[in-house]
Amino acid sequence: MTPSADNPLAAPGLPAHSAVGFGAMDDVHAEFGPLLNRLLAAGDGELPAALRAVTDHCRMHFALEEEWMGTDFPGRECHAQEHAAVLASLDGVMLRLQGGEAQPARTVARALQDWFPPHVQHLDSALAHWLCKQRWGAKPVVLHLRPRADEGHAATAA
């Protein structure tokens, strides 16, 4: 799959449906896909800017999620530790890139491609569920459009 306006997260290994049912979080997740795609496709001269864009996004993204967690979210410690580990890796890779090593940036891009879907599925979806329960007294609902043989598309709840 390739990224498009309709499917900004589509990339090999990065599912298009990273929605968790909490709109603000879904919006931030949608911003990540194109940045990661840019990093994955970057030539050597583009790597520093692409890696900086991913790192800056992750700082903002993780700070926002940690703000949403507050102090009461039961999985806060584990979730925040995972964010810290990703940021430490990105910072270390940036230092190596500045020292002339391009390969670690390519390796971290593929690692992020592998890391993001399970992070969303397990940790972010738990946070979205908790946030929706706290704010609206209900669990989130995520609708995915799937093509059907007899019709164009059908909405199904996930």
Side-chain angles (χ1 to χ4, degrees), residues 47-64:
L47 272 174
L51 182 60
R52 174 59 54 212
V54 166
T55 302
D56 290 347
H57 170 83
C58 286
R59 283 192 203 296
M60 175 277 302
H61 178 157
F62 299 164
L64 194 53

Side-chain angles (χ1 to χ4, degrees), residues 50-138:
L51 182 60
R52 174 59 54 212
V54 166
T55 302
D56 290 347
H57 170 83
C58 286
R59 283 192 203 296
M60 175 277 302
H61 178 157
F62 299 164
L64 194 53
E65 286 184 7
E66 290 170 26
E67 181 181 318
W68 290 329
M69 289 182 223
T71 56
D72 297 334
F73 177 61
R76 185 185 203 303
E77 179 95 10
C78 175
H79 201 146
Q81 285 176 353
E82 192 164 300
H83 289 165
V86 169
L87 290 174
S89 294
L90 288 168
D91 289 341
V93 167
M94 181 58 82
L95 289 174
R96 291 182 70 183
L97 184 58
Q98 290 169 344
E101 294 181 69
Q103 191 54 46
R106 298 191 188 295
T107 300
V108 82
R110 288 187 302 276
L112 286 170
Q113 187 179 38
D114 293 340
W115 167 80
F116 187 67
H119 177 82
V120 169
Q121 182 181 11
H122 299 291
L123 297 179
D124 289 348
S125 67
L127 175 58
H129 189 277
W130 184 80
L131 286 165
C132 289
K133 191 75 170 162
Q134 297 295 311
R135 293 180 183 195
W136 301 295

Side-chain angles (χ1 to χ4, degrees), residues 3-15:
S4 70
D6 295 332
N7 198 1
L9 289 176
L14 191 58

